[in-house]
Amino acid sequence: MEPIITKYVREPNSYTLDFYLQHGGYESLRKALGTHTPDQIVEMVKASGLRGRGGAGFPTGMKWQFVDKKSEKPRYIACNADESEPGTFKDHVIMERNPHLLIEGCAIACYAIGAKVAYIYIRGEFYHVQQVLENAIAEARAKGYLGKNVLGTGFDCEVYVHRGAGAYEAGEETALLESLEGKRAQPRNKPPFPAVYGLYGCPTAVNNVETLANVPLIVQHGPEWFAALGPEKNGGPKLYSISGHVKRPGVYEASMDITLKELIFGEQYCQGMRDGHTLKAVIPGGSSVPILLPDQLDTQASFDGVVKAGSMLGSAGAIVLDDTTCMVWLAENLLHFYRHESCGKCTPCREGTDWLFKLLRKIESGQGSMRDIDLLSSVATNVGGKTLCAFGDAAVTPVLTTIKHFRHEYEAHVREGRCTCPADWRARQPVGAH
Amino acid sequence: MSFHPKMAYDATFHKSTRTLADNGPVFTFTPENRARLDEIVTRYPADRSRSAVLPALFLVQHQQGYITGHAMRHVAEILKVTPADVEDVVTYYTMFYTKPVGTFVLSVCRTLSCAVNGAERVVEEICNHLHIKPGQTDASGTFTLIEAECLGACDRAPVIMVNDAWQELQRPEDIPALLENLRQHGEAALTGCHHVIEKK
Ligand SMILES: Cc1cc2nc3c(=O)[nH]c(=O)nc-3n(C[C@H](O)[C@H](O)[C@H](O)COP(=O)(O)O)c2cc1C
Ligand code: SF4
Ligand code: FES
């Protein structure tokens, strides 16, 4: 499939309004406002089968339909640009090189659910991206694509960027809303869902950047075109972020009938593992999903395909690991992340991540016993499914999946009293993206 | 009363040991920053000025380098929230500093994709050169080293964020030159984000 969303990202000035207009920009917004009612847009997105690109793969049209239209309160679009899932860097490219596509998507989404304001919640580390977005918004506003009376249709729409300050948990949708309200990024109980009780207690749709970037394409080319771009229920273009031990890490756009194997080994894509090494494992959807082994890579890299293989597509950020990777070390590295990022609101996650990290550090440094391995699984199963938000399940996944597939490595660490994998990753030179 | 007959009444543990943020020097926004904040507040509904707490704190940090108790109270007054509301936020987010930091804050990503590309060695190298540990500032007050979690540019691993700018694809042997260039030329010495190809 020819890239659609990222078609022009390597062109100079691809982020300017002039460039965007020369390539058919804002025609979808004009079409949506001119010839469609909001309900028709929602129907269109539903018919396209667009699924949320933020992690869960929930149908976007349905999410919009659930937005409480009977409420007297204002409605909001909150665009999730927190992109903090380890191994994920696709929204980054959209916002930096094709910001107007996202802005157009935000405006159409506002029209569809009857909102007048969209907030783009961007992670604090993306300061340079925020500058690009804010300039793009100012440009669009000056030309009447945003602001009062958009394109003379009487529709008002403002898009603002709100900067986070370094919290992974702010990516969880209700935590994001809390953070937007000027509080700690800690999630709320669900239900009520944001569609009913969201930002400032008003009906809100929280959508990922890539999700909203697909909306103008659907309006422009029609839902049938979109659905036909991929396997059933997995339509549309998809961005994959691939990093780790591959020759050409980067963001690749493909239709979801591509296989993981092709993404990792294809000439057009990552071109395989770095020289002299073989593939050991792939984490296909950011750090929070189960590991896939080399013999499972013929699976389709679609939401449903990866689930069939026993993992999840998540944010489609694949971390590819070669034969030098110690799986105990890997779990320790990721649990360091989860322990650091746990928001602390509920006990199993706050305490459990710390326990898991300490146990893993003990085993990795050669001080562990066989009992510690069982204790690890026991702590992990007592966190998973018992927490307020999905972070708890995500945090224990690296532990459970490495024990499941690589228990022998844990045992070897205990038996030999040291890390048994050659630690040459430490001496590794960066591969360098193209 | 005490919790136990044998326990002295003045046992200290049930007294709160919580200390409020140090007041620090008197802080008021410069007129430009104040105007900027007033504009930001208008982005949120009229009765929701609390939403501007994060942007206001970034402005404080931009002006003063770190966030003091006095600054928190100043922000609280402007946004009509309590100082505790502001402190609550400051102490939660990792990008807000409550202590002075160096001119350049080096946040080295240590999460998986960067780690398998040698991030740990990069950290070691910085530590050796500056004679500090992660979390510390060097003697000259120029550099603070922080180990950060995934910065969202894993294809350009290892990544270092220097204040708000980026330096990508760092090898351990690049570190001496990076530090020297920063000392001499400031942030202009950085590669920035690779997507900004026009800059090159
Ligand atoms: C701990 C946690 C972190 C998350 N981080 C992100 C994130 O960084 N970006 C994102 O788009 N969604 C993230 N999500 C998913 C969001 O909660 C939500 O499902 C998503 O923004 C919905 O948008 P979508 O329907 O367009 O996918 C996270 C979820 C959890 C539980
Ligand atoms: S599971 Fe973890 S991140 Fe989620 S609410 Fe509980 S403590 Fe916070
Ligand atoms: S792991 Fe370092 S930027 Fe993602």
Side-chain angles (χ1 to χ4, degrees):
Chain A
M1 191 194 85
E2 281 293 302
I4 301 166
I5 295 174
T6 57
K7 186 167 179 190
Y8 299 114
V9 293
R10 288 181 201 292
E11 305 275 330
N13 299 321
S14 68
Y15 55 89
T16 57
L17 181 60
D18 283 344
F19 186 98
Y20 191 61
L21 290 176
Q22 275 161 24
H23 296 85
Y26 289 107
E27 283 310 313
S28 305
L29 180 62
R30 198 182 295 277
K31 188 170 165 191
L33 297 182
T35 57
H36 293 76
T37 65
D39 287 341
Q40 281 171 335
I41 302 286
V42 175
E43 283 308 318
M44 221 174 181
V45 172
K46 259 173 85 176
S48 75
L50 170 63
R51 293 170 71 169
R53 291 345 193 195
F58 189 80
T60 306
M62 260 161 67
K63 193 181 263 190
W64 288 0
Q65 197 173 34
F66 290 149
V67 170
D68 186 359
K69 296 244 166 76
K70 289 195 283 302
S71 160
E72 300 281 286
K73 297 177 187 163
R75 293 186 276 272
Y76 294 102
I77 288 284
C79 170
N80 192 339
D82 190 59
E83 191 154 73
S84 308
E85 181 74 28
T88 312
F89 39 94
K90 62 188 174 61
D91 299 345
H92 185 168
V93 183
I94 300 178
M95 291 187 283
E96 192 158 339
R97 302 304 306 176
N98 203 354
H100 285 286
L101 184 65
L102 172 62
I103 296 167
E104 188 174 6
C106 286
I108 299 174
C110 281
Y111 178 66
I113 70 159
K116 289 193 166 55
V117 182
Y119 292 105
I120 301 178
Y121 185 97
I122 193 165
R123 65 179 298 188
E125 290 85 347
F126 283 179
Y127 184 69
H128 58 290
V129 188
Q130 184 185 0
Q131 309 292 308
V132 177
L133 263 181
E134 286 190 336
N135 289 340
I137 290 170
E139 264 184 314
R141 210 166 174 276
K143 289 278 160 64
Y145 298 108
L146 291 176
K148 290 249 173 307
N149 193 13
V150 174
L151 298 171
T153 56
F155 165 65
D156 300 340
C157 180
E158 294 288 353
V159 178
Y160 298 116
V161 185
H162 185 99
R163 184 184 183 194
Y168 167 64
E169 184 56 9
E172 201 280 340
E173 52 186 7
T174 55
L176 181 144
L177 299 174
E178 288 283 297
S179 186
L180 251 175
E181 292 182 7
K183 303 176 199 159
R184 290 183 164 217
Q186 292 180 320
R188 303 171 180 165
N189 251 329
K190 288 190 274 190
F193 288 93
V196 179
Y197 189 93
L199 184 61
Y200 311 128
C202 306
T204 306
V206 185
N207 290 114
N208 172 258
V209 170
E210 193 191 340
T211 312
L212 289 175
N214 274 305
V215 171
L217 308 179
I218 297 172
V219 174
Q220 191 182 356
H221 301 288
E224 299 79 19
W225 169 87
F226 189 86
L229 276 180
E232 208 189 335
K233 296 206 184 116
N234 291 275
K238 180 80 196 87
L239 300 189
Y240 296 91
S241 337
I242 308 181
S243 62
H245 287 139
V246 287
K247 276 211 189 97
R248 270 185 7 141
V251 176
Y252 298 98
E253 184 173 347
S255 121
M256 282 192 264
D257 45 27
I258 196 165
T259 61
L260 282 170
K261 187 172 252 162
E262 189 168 357
L263 281 169
I264 296 169
F265 292 97
E267 251 332 278
Q268 271 180 296
Y269 303 99
C270 294
Q271 298 180 352
M273 309 303 291
R274 61 179 166 138
D275 289 329
H277 291 279
T278 53
L279 178 66
K280 180 166 182 178
V282 179
I283 313 182
S287 69
S288 311
V289 304
I291 282 176
L292 292 180
L293 299 176
D295 59 359
Q296 292 173 297
L297 296 187
D298 284 319
T299 177
Q300 213 177 49
S302 63
F303 289 104
D304 299 328
V306 182
V307 167
K308 246 183 245 150
S311 188
M312 282 177 291
L313 187 63
S315 60
I319 308 175
V320 186
L321 302 156
D322 72 13
D323 50 348
T324 62
T325 317
C326 167
M327 288 295 155
V328 182
W329 170 82
L330 175 142
E332 185 203 320
N333 182 283
L334 290 180
L335 260 293
H336 185 287
F337 170 84
Y338 286 109
R339 164 174 166 267
H340 183 260
E341 299 295 341
S342 168
C343 84
K345 186 162 177 167
C346 57
T347 318
C349 165
R350 181 186 62 235
E351 304 298 320
T353 47
D354 190 48
W355 272 58
L356 291 172
F357 173 71
K358 283 181 179 149
L359 281 166
L360 285 163
R361 174 145 285 189
K362 192 174 160 200
I363 299 173
E364 169 65 12
S365 65
Q367 313 292 310
S369 65
M370 291 296 172
R371 270 194 59 211
D372 289 332
I373 305 176
D374 297 327
L375 190 55
L376 261 183
S377 336
S378 150
V379 174
T381 41
N382 276 308
V383 174
K386 297 182 175 63
T387 54
L388 185 60
C389 80
F391 184 105
D393 301 315
V396 300
T397 303
V399 177
L400 293 175
T401 173
T402 49
I403 295 184
K404 179 172 166 209
H405 295 298
F406 299 96
R407 194 180 171 99
H408 55 278
E409 286 191 18
Y410 280 87
E411 287 171 355
H413 276 71
V414 171
R415 247 192 339 268
E416 304 201 14
R418 65 182 177 90
C419 177
T420 48
C421 280
D424 99 321
W425 50 270
R426 285 169 50 92
R428 173 105 204 283
Q429 304 285 311
V431 280
H434 37 286
Chain B
M1 63 168 255
S2 70
F3 293 104
H4 189 273
K6 289 198 176 150
M7 187 187 284
Y9 173 67
D10 63 346
T12 50
F13 84 93
H14 69 278
K15 286 189 194 150
S16 169
T17 52
R18 186 174 179 282
T19 46
L20 288 164
D22 275 343
N23 240 336
V26 174
F27 179 91
T28 38
F29 278 121
T30 58
E32 302 85 73
N33 282 344
R34 180 59 204 259
R36 184 106 186 80
L37 179 57
D38 289 341
E39 184 272 317
I40 289 172
V41 170
T42 63
R43 300 176 180 185
Y44 306 97
D47 52 341
R48 300 291 182 175
S49 54
R50 183 168 181 179
S51 278
V53 168
L54 268 79
L57 290 171
F58 273 120
L59 285 174
V60 171
Q61 197 155 285
H62 186 68
Q63 186 175 321
Q64 186 174 248
Y66 69 113
I67 302 170
T68 56
H70 202 283
M72 293 179 207
R73 271 167 262 268
H74 186 58
V75 167
E77 253 166 52
I78 296 173
L79 299 180
K80 302 185 190 68
V81 296
T82 68
D85 289 339
V86 180
E87 196 179 354
D88 192 44
V89 169
V90 174
T91 50
Y92 179 81
Y93 294 94
T94 52
M95 288 179 76
F96 295 134
Y97 313 126
T98 50
K99 301 247 158 53
V101 288
T103 319
F104 303 107
V105 179
L106 309 171
S107 311
V108 185
C109 173
R110 56 151 310 282
T111 313
L112 194 53
S113 296
C114 286
V116 297
N117 281 292
E120 201 167 299
R121 288 256 322 270
V122 172
V123 172
E124 261 170 32
E125 205 56 31
I126 298 178
C127 290
N128 291 343
H129 269 271
L130 300 175
H131 309 290
I132 53 174
K133 291 204 192 80
Q136 296 177 339
T137 304
D138 75 333
S140 66
T142 316
F143 298 104
T144 301
L145 173 63
I146 293 177
E147 282 187 298
E149 301 293 352
C150 182
L151 295 170
C154 324
D155 55 338
R156 307 289 285 187
V159 188
I160 306 180
M161 195 169 74
V162 182
N163 297 344
D164 283 329
W166 284 21
Q167 176 80 1
E168 304 177 324
L169 289 169
Q170 286 306 286
R171 293 168 302 176
E173 56 266 38
D174 298 334
I175 295 304
L178 172 68
L179 298 179
E180 195 44 44
N181 285 339
L182 276 170
R183 277 201 189 95
Q184 303 225 341
H185 310 289
E187 285 176 32
L190 301 173
T191 59
C193 171
H194 69 294
H195 296 311
V196 192
I197 42 180
E198 281 84 355
K199 273 193 190 158
K200 292 190 181 143

